[in-house]
Amino acid sequence: MEMLQKDMEMMADTAHPEIPAEFFALAGEKIVIETTDLDFYYSAESHALKKVNIRIPYRKVTAFIGPSGCGKSTLLRCFNRMNDLIPGSFLKGKVLIEGEDIYKNGIRLEELRKKVGMVFQKSNPFPMSVWENVAFGPRVNGITNKSELEEMVESSLKQADLWKEIKDRLQASALDLSGGQQQRLCIARTLANKPDIILMDEPASALDPISTGKIEETINELKEEYTIVIVTHNMQQAGRISDYTAFMMLGEMVEFDTTKKIFTNPKEKMTEDYITGRFG
Amino acid sequence: MERRISYFKQKGDSYIFAASLGLVISLGMVVWIILVILTRGLSFFWPRDTVLVKLQNDSAYLGEMWESKTVYRVDAEGKEHKEEQFQLKIGNRDLYGRDFIWLTRAQVSEESDPTEAVTIERREYGKFFGFIRLVQIGDERFEQPGEILIEKAQEAHRLAIATRERIENTQEDLNNLMQPLANLQREITLLQLSPQAKTEKGQQKLAELQEEATKQEQSIADEYGILNQELERLTLQNRSIILTVATAEGAEKEIYFSEIVRFFQPNMMSGPAKAWIYAGKLWEFVADEPRESNTEGGVFPAIFGTVVMVLLMSIAVVPFGVMAAIYLNEYARQGTMIRFIRLSVNNLAGVPSIVFGVFGLGFFIYAVGGSIDQFFFSDKLPEPTFGTGGILWASLTLALLTLPVVVVATEEGLLAVPRANKEGALALGATRWQMIRKVVLPNALPGILTGLILAISRGAGEVAPLMITGVVKLAPTLAIDGSFPFLHLDRKFMHLGFHIYDVGFQSPNVEAAKPMVYTTALLLIVIVVLLNLVAIYFRNRLRKKYRGSTF
Ligand SMILES: Nc1ncnc2c1ncn2[C@@H]1O[C@H](COP(=O)(O)OP(=O)(O)OP(=O)(O)O)[C@@H](O)[C@H]1O
Ligand SMILES: [Mg+2]
C-alpha cells in the first residue's frame, strides 16, 4: 500500500502521458479498494461491467454517478460479493480490499461482509424491534454479552443520528418508524458491525428532502471514520457530500477524479454532457 | 336477434353466470348438509315424550314417535287408499327383539301420553319404556304408586351407582395387588418355553423364580382375601337393589339399579328438567366410553384418539415439510432436477389415500415396526409390539399423506419473504443458515401454519389409510395414560371417522345407531374446526407481528 502511494506521488511529479489521470488525482491517498480489469456477467450474454479499473481512497466519500443501467449497483455489489447470490453470474479480473483478493478461494464471506457493510436503496429493516435490528449484526457475528450489545446499539444509533428520536422506542417494531428513520436505522444496523467500508446504493432516493438532508449530514459525520462508497442519481448530492466521483457509462468507467474536477472541468465530453443534464 | 345472441356469447357473461350458479348450488348443498348434521346430531339427546298406543288386536306399545309418512296403496279393485304410517321406538330390546316398529293409523284404537310412563336408559339392551311397579332396596319394598315411589327409585339408583363405583375401585386395587405376581408368572412361563430351560443354569433360575412366586403369593394372601370378600359383599348388595317395571301390556321385568344409566318421566317433565337431562347426555357423549358395541354411551376414546393422532401427525409433518421446503427454496440449485422433485411432491397430494395406507402397512408396520420388534422387543415375539398397527404408524402414514400440503404452503411462505430482507441479513455477515433461521423462518411462519391448517383438515378426516394402520372398533386403552411410559405409541386407537363408519354400517343395530352417526359426524366437524381455529389464532398473531409479509 505504501509502495503504491510513493509510486503515485512520484508519477504525479513526472506527469507521465500513459498514466491514467486518476493516479494523479489520488496522489497522497491510501487506497482501500482496488479493481483490475473487472468484468462482470449476469449471464454469458449480459456483460454488465467492462474492464473496470478503479481505486477507492481511505476514509473519503466516493460517489458513483451515471445513467440508469450503467452498472453502478453491480460494481458496488462486487465489493461485498452480494452478486454471488445471482445464479449464473460470473466475474473476471480482480477486486482487492486492503490488498487482499476477495474473490480468491478461502475467503470467508461473513468476515468480508462484516468488514464491508452495505445500505440498500430501499430501507429493509427486519420485522423485529428497533433494538433487535441494530443488534442483529453483532449477534450473528457471535456477540452475546447483553451489556456489550446495549452499548453497541446505543453508539450505532447515535452515529446514525437516530438516538435522540427513538431512544424511548427501542422495543417498538422497526416497521413503525418513518421511511427516513427506517433508512437511518439501516445505517445504524450497518455501523453496529463496526465495518471499515460502507457501501450505499442510492440511500436517499426514496426519501423526502428533509430526510435526505439528515442522511447527508450523517454521511458527512461518518466519513471521519469510514470509507464510504455511494451511488447517487442526484448531482447536487454528489457535489455536496463526495470527495471523489466516478462517472460510469454502459458498464465502463469513463472518468474518475476529485469531485471538484469532475463537476467543474471534466476531461471527457460525455461526463460534461451528463453532469450538465444534456442526457441521461 | 341473431346478432344479440352472438354478442351475448361474445361477452362471455353467460358462462360466468352459469359457473356462479353452480357455485351457489354447491355452497347451498354444503350448508344444507351441515344443517342436517347439526339438527339431527343435536336433537338426538333431547328426551322425547312417550306415547301409549293400543291397537285393534289388543296389543299395546309404549314408545317414542320417530317418523311418520303417508303411503298410497292400490287394492285389488284398482282403488287408491291413503295410509298414514308412523315409526315407534319401542325399546325393550330384551323383550321384543327389535327397537322400532312401523304402525298404520288404522291399526290404532287408542293413543295417550301417560304421565307416569318412565324412560329407562340401561347399560345393556338399550332403553326400556314402561311403568314402575316396585322398588326394592335390600329387604325394603316400595310399591305405592306416586311421587314417593319415584323418589325411592332415585334414592335406590344413587345407592346402586355409588356401590358400583366402589366395586370398580376394589377391582382395581385387586388388580394392582396381583400385578407383580402376574408378571412373575409370565416370566416363568416364558422361561419354561425357552431353550434355556433345559440347561442347568436355566433350571436353577426357574427354581428361584418359582420360590419367589410362592413367597409373593403368601405375602399377599391376606389382603387378597379381604379385598375379594369386600368385592363379593358389594356385588351381592347391588343384586338386592332392584327395580320392577311393567311394559304397556303389563309384562313385568326386573332390572338391577346398577345397570341403569338414568331414568326419567318425560311426559311430566318441564323444559328445564329436560334440558338438564340433555346436558347430562351430551356430557356423557363426549366424556364416556362407548357401550353396546358403540351404539350407545360416549365416544371419548375416539375423540382422544383423533386428537392425539392429529397432534402426532403435526409433530411429524411440520419439521419434515418445512425442511424440505427450505432445501428446495433456499439451498438447492434451481434446475430441471428440482423442478422434477417439486412436481413429484405436488403429485403426491393426488395419490389415493388408501395407497398411503398400503405403504404405511408395508413400510412402517412390516419393515420398520418388524425390525424394531426384532431388536428391542424380541422377548415378546411372536406377539408383535410395533410390528402391528398402532397410533404411531397411523400418524406417520398421515404425515406422509399431508406432506405435500405443508411443503407447498411453506414454499409459498418462503417466496413471500422479501428479497431485501434476505439480502440485508447476508450483508450484515449472517451465514445462510442464520439468515434462514432469523429472517426467513419467522417471516414464513404464517405460511407454515397455513400448511399445518390444511394438513390438519385433510388428516383429521381421513379414514381409509387408518383402517389398515391401526384404528380399531374398540380400543381397551388410551394412547396416553398414567402407566409408564405414559405415551404408548404402539397402541391401537379409536378414531371418530372410523367410528362413524363402524356405528353406521357395521353395528348389529343400524336403525338405532343412525342418530349416533350424525352426532359423531358433528363432533368430528367440531374438532377439526377447533384444531383449525387454534392454528388460525396463532397465524393471526404472527401476521400482526410480521405485517410486511402478505401471507
Ligand atoms: N439480477 C440481474 N440479472 C440480470 N441482469 C441484471 C441484473 N441486475 C442488473 N442487471 C443488468 O445489469 C445492468 C447494470 O445494472 P445495475 O443495476 O448495476 O445498474 P445501475 O447503474 O445501478 O442502474 P440504476 O441507476 O437504475 O440503479 C443493467 O443492464 C441491468 O439490466
Ligand atoms: Mg442501481
Side-chain angles (χ1 to χ4, degrees):
Chain A
M1 200 66 44
E2 301 221 329
M3 276 283 283
L4 186 69
Q5 227 170 298
K6 268 205 193 117
D7 279 356
M8 281 193 304
E9 277 164 26
M10 215 175 71
M11 282 187 285
D13 286 344
T14 48
H16 230 270
E18 303 96 314
I19 308 292
E22 60 195 75
F23 275 74
F24 305 115
L26 284 167
E29 299 282 10
K30 186 172 147 197
I31 301 302
V32 195
I33 306 177
E34 180 176 3
T35 70
T36 34
D37 292 344
L38 181 65
D39 281 287
F40 186 84
Y41 301 79
Y42 279 106
S43 62
E45 301 88 50
S46 169
H47 194 176
L49 293 179
K50 295 166 188 158
K51 294 248 178 299
V52 170
N53 287 294
I54 187 170
R55 288 166 180 72
I56 290 170
Y58 181 67
R59 290 201 177 166
K60 289 277 163 7
V61 177
T62 305
F64 288 179
I65 60 171
S68 185
C70 68
K72 306 180 293 291
S73 302
T74 308
L75 179 58
L76 203 65
R77 291 161 65 93
C78 283
F79 297 158
N80 66 345
R81 293 187 59 174
M82 268 331 249
N83 284 331
D84 287 21
L85 299 175
I86 297 161
S89 68
F90 58 96
L91 167 146
K92 286 185 204 157
K94 270 190 183 163
V95 180
L96 306 185
I97 288 185
E98 287 170 1
E100 193 177 17
D101 181 357
I102 60 165
Y103 280 90
K104 76 173 185 216
N105 286 338
I107 284 285
R108 283 200 46 200
L109 281 183
E110 296 82 50
E111 297 283 317
L112 172 71
R113 289 175 185 157
K114 182 175 177 294
K115 197 162 72 180
V116 187
M118 184 162 211
V119 177
F120 296 81
Q121 171 174 5
K122 208 169 151 282
S123 65
N124 55 351
F126 304 128
M128 314 167 179
S129 72
V130 170
W131 193 92
E132 280 173 320
N133 259 282
V134 184
F136 187 94
R139 274 176 164 177
V140 298
N141 288 304
I143 293 173
T144 48
N145 185 319
K146 180 96 184 176
S147 62
E148 198 176 340
L149 285 174
E150 295 281 2
E151 207 176 298
M152 284 172 131
V153 169
E154 183 176 341
S155 71
S156 312
L157 284 173
K158 275 181 178 156
Q159 283 187 71
D161 263 345
L162 199 57
W163 178 252
K164 268 195 227 111
E165 283 163 67
I166 59 164
K167 64 170 181 288
D168 304 321
R169 295 167 59 195
L170 294 182
Q171 295 311 322
S173 169
L175 303 181
D176 288 341
L177 302 183
S178 76
Q181 287 172 332
Q182 286 191 10
Q183 190 60 298
R184 275 179 288 148
L185 177 66
C186 291
I187 295 179
R189 192 170 71 179
T190 306
L191 294 176
N193 259 346
K194 299 204 187 325
D196 299 336
I197 302 165
I198 304 175
L199 310 174
M200 296 184 174
D201 195 349
E202 303 183 44
S205 69
L207 302 179
D208 63 286
I210 302 213
S211 303
T212 306
K214 283 203 165 159
I215 299 247
E216 285 179 15
E217 237 170 76
T218 309
I219 293 173
N220 258 330
E221 282 161 28
L222 291 177
K223 78 174 166 196
E224 308 285 316
E225 286 175 66
Y226 302 93
T227 302
I228 295 174
V229 187
I230 182 168
V231 172
T232 178
H233 273 287
N234 184 329
M235 291 308 124
Q236 286 82 12
Q237 187 175 59
R240 277 195 300 270
I241 59 177
S242 68
D243 303 301
Y244 291 88
T245 298
F247 174 63
M248 291 179 72
M249 186 77 182
L250 298 172
E252 286 182 67
M253 179 63 61
V254 177
E255 192 171 349
F256 178 96
D257 215 318
T258 59
T259 301
K260 199 169 149 218
K261 184 98 188 293
I262 293 268
F263 276 81
T264 53
N265 185 19
K267 264 179 42 201
E268 304 286 333
K269 175 91 172 48
M270 268 191 286
T271 315
E272 191 178 342
D273 288 351
Y274 181 72
I275 284 168
T276 51
R278 249 166 277 170
F279 79 91
Chain B
M1 207 56 206
E2 254 323 272
R3 283 191 56 177
R4 283 202 46 193
I5 289 172
S6 75
Y7 172 67
F8 194 58
K9 266 189 186 167
Q10 213 176 8
K11 266 175 70 178
D13 290 356
S14 51
Y15 305 115
I16 306 279
F17 287 140
S20 37
L21 194 66
L23 183 72
V24 168
I25 291 174
S26 321
L27 275 178
M29 288 197 292
V30 169
V31 171
W32 181 73
I33 197 171
I34 288 186
L35 280 179
V36 166
I37 290 175
L38 215 63
T39 48
R40 300 245 173 152
L42 285 176
S43 65
F44 177 47
F45 297 122
W46 188 258
R48 293 167 187 241
D49 287 350
T50 48
V51 289
L52 178 65
V53 286
K54 292 201 171 122
L55 303 186
Q56 306 285 11
N57 63 5
D58 279 346
S59 51
Y61 293 106
L62 179 68
E64 296 169 348
M65 192 77 80
W66 275 57
E67 263 176 66
S68 60
K69 61 183 177 193
T70 314
V71 286
Y72 296 93
R73 233 187 232 139
V74 185
D75 65 10
E77 286 149 35
K79 268 215 232 141
E80 211 179 39
H81 293 275
K82 198 164 126 182
E83 209 175 82
E84 299 269 344
Q85 294 191 340
F86 61 93
Q87 191 190 32
L88 203 63
K89 176 165 184 176
I90 52 173
N92 308 11
R93 204 183 306 147
D94 39 343
L95 297 180
Y96 299 138
R98 56 187 171 165
D99 281 287
F100 294 90
I101 50 168
W102 279 98
L103 296 170
T104 57
R105 285 273 164 224
Q107 288 177 283
V108 179
S109 65
E110 199 187 322
E111 198 183 311
S112 59
D113 33 339
T115 51
E116 69 279 11
V118 283
T119 301
I120 301 169
E121 284 173 25
R122 299 176 292 178
R123 262 172 232 285
E124 271 173 63
Y125 302 119
K127 283 181 177 167
F128 189 97
F129 301 106
F131 304 92
I132 295 184
R133 285 278 183 271
L134 171 69
V135 175
Q136 274 172 277
I137 310 175
D139 298 334
E140 292 175 277
R141 295 163 64 90
F142 305 91
E143 43 191 332
Q144 193 67 37
E147 219 153 274
I148 302 278
L149 194 60
I150 290 292
E151 263 167 39
K152 280 291 161 196
Q154 273 157 355
E155 190 189 316
H157 187 230
R158 278 196 292 273
L159 182 64
I161 295 298
T163 315
R164 193 191 164 93
E165 252 164 46
R166 280 174 64 191
I167 291 176
E168 275 161 14
N169 289 344
T170 316
Q171 188 67 54
E172 209 180 307
D173 289 346
L174 206 57
N175 286 349
N176 289 344
L177 185 69
M178 299 293 288
Q179 193 61 48
L181 189 61
N183 286 349
L184 207 58
Q185 263 152 2
R186 201 170 144 260
E187 212 176 318
I188 292 172
T189 319
L190 278 173
L191 194 59
Q192 279 169 339
L193 291 176
S194 75
Q196 230 194 329
K198 298 209 175 63
T199 65
E200 204 163 299
K201 226 170 146 190
Q203 287 291 342
Q204 201 182 335
K205 180 114 186 272
L206 204 56
E208 267 171 41
L209 284 175
Q210 268 157 349
E211 197 183 325
E212 171 73 24
T214 329
K215 240 197 264 170
Q216 272 197 18
E217 224 169 304
Q218 278 165 356
S219 73
I220 62 171
D222 286 348
E223 207 176 333
Y224 179 78
I226 294 171
L227 283 174
N228 231 358
Q229 248 175 6
E230 172 79 355
L231 208 57
E232 251 165 59
R233 191 182 66 78
L234 290 169
T235 314
L236 268 180
Q237 185 180 331
N238 252 359
R239 290 267 174 278
S240 71
I241 311 175
I242 306 169
L243 176 71
T244 308
V245 277
T247 64
E249 286 170 328
E252 292 200 350
K253 161 106 192 145
E254 287 193 345
I255 303 171
Y256 296 129
F257 268 107
S258 56
E259 290 297 307
I260 295 175
V261 179
R262 67 169 70 76
F263 65 93
F264 47 88
Q265 295 178 296
N267 292 349
M268 57 182 288
M269 261 184 352
S270 60
K274 282 188 178 178
W276 180 245
I277 298 234
Y278 178 79
K281 289 175 85 162
L282 209 59
W283 175 247
E284 181 195 356
F285 180 67
V286 294
D288 260 15
E289 318 255 304
R291 297 192 312 268
E292 292 285 285
S293 65
N294 293 355
T295 55
E296 271 167 44
V299 291
F300 178 72
I303 299 175
F304 195 82
T306 309
V307 172
V308 171
M309 189 209 64
V310 168
L311 291 183
L312 284 177
M313 176 199 82
S314 309
I315 290 171
V317 75
V318 169
F320 269 102
V322 171
M323 281 193 289
I326 288 179
Y327 176 76
L328 288 178
N329 238 302
E330 305 286 338
Y331 282 90
R333 259 182 89 99
Q334 306 300 318
T336 333
M337 186 68 191
I338 289 302
R339 260 216 306 282
F340 178 73
I341 291 178
R342 203 169 269 142
L343 196 71
S344 311
V345 170
N346 289 353
N347 282 336
L348 217 54
V351 174
S353 57
I354 190 72
V355 175
F356 280 98
V358 173
F359 176 81
L361 182 71
F363 179 71
F364 289 130
I365 297 183
Y366 291 155
V368 182
S371 324
I372 291 178
D373 276 0
Q374 226 139 54
F375 286 116
F376 300 104
F377 299 96
S378 55
D379 56 330
K380 287 195 190 160
L381 284 173
E383 199 182 295
T385 309
F386 277 100
T388 176
I391 194 160
L392 175 66
W393 303 139
S395 306
L396 289 184
T397 305
L398 282 194
L400 214 59
L401 181 101
T402 49
L403 188 67
V405 179
V406 176
V407 172
V408 170
T410 307
E411 276 210 272
E412 271 167 39
L414 292 175
L415 285 176
V417 178
R419 218 182 77 157
N421 278 2
K422 295 200 219 169
E423 287 192 343
L426 290 177
L428 286 171
T431 61
R432 182 145 55 168
W433 172 239
Q434 284 172 327
M435 168 194 86
I436 288 172
R437 203 166 50 98
K438 297 197 168 184
V439 176
V440 175
L441 273 186
N443 255 300
L445 219 45
I448 295 172
L449 283 176
T450 301
L452 179 63
I453 289 166
L454 293 173
I456 289 175
S457 307
R458 170 114 204 253
E462 204 54 77
V463 177
L466 301 182
M467 283 161 64
I468 48 178
T469 52
V471 103
V472 283
K473 179 186 170 70
L474 192 67
T477 46
L478 296 176
I480 299 177
D481 64 15
S483 69
F484 187 78
F486 310 118
L487 175 62
H488 305 276
L489 292 173
D490 57 320
R491 284 194 181 160
K492 302 245 194 290
F493 66 107
M494 290 173 71
H495 182 274
L496 283 172
F498 183 71
H499 199 80
I500 293 172
Y501 166 72
D502 177 64
V503 169
F505 304 99
Q506 304 291 295
S507 74
N509 196 359
V510 170
E511 187 74 14
K514 226 163 50 180
M516 199 77 163
V517 170
Y518 290 112
T519 330
T520 314
L522 180 63
L523 196 61
L524 183 59
I525 294 175
V526 168
I527 285 184
V528 173
V529 169
L530 276 183
L531 285 169
N532 275 332
L533 284 182
V534 171
I536 288 173
Y537 169 76
F538 281 114
R539 188 177 58 181
N540 284 352
R541 273 187 42 168
L542 285 166
R543 265 198 197 143
K544 229 176 261 163
K545 192 164 167 204
Y546 304 107
R547 270 151 306 165
S549 72
T550 44
F551 242 81

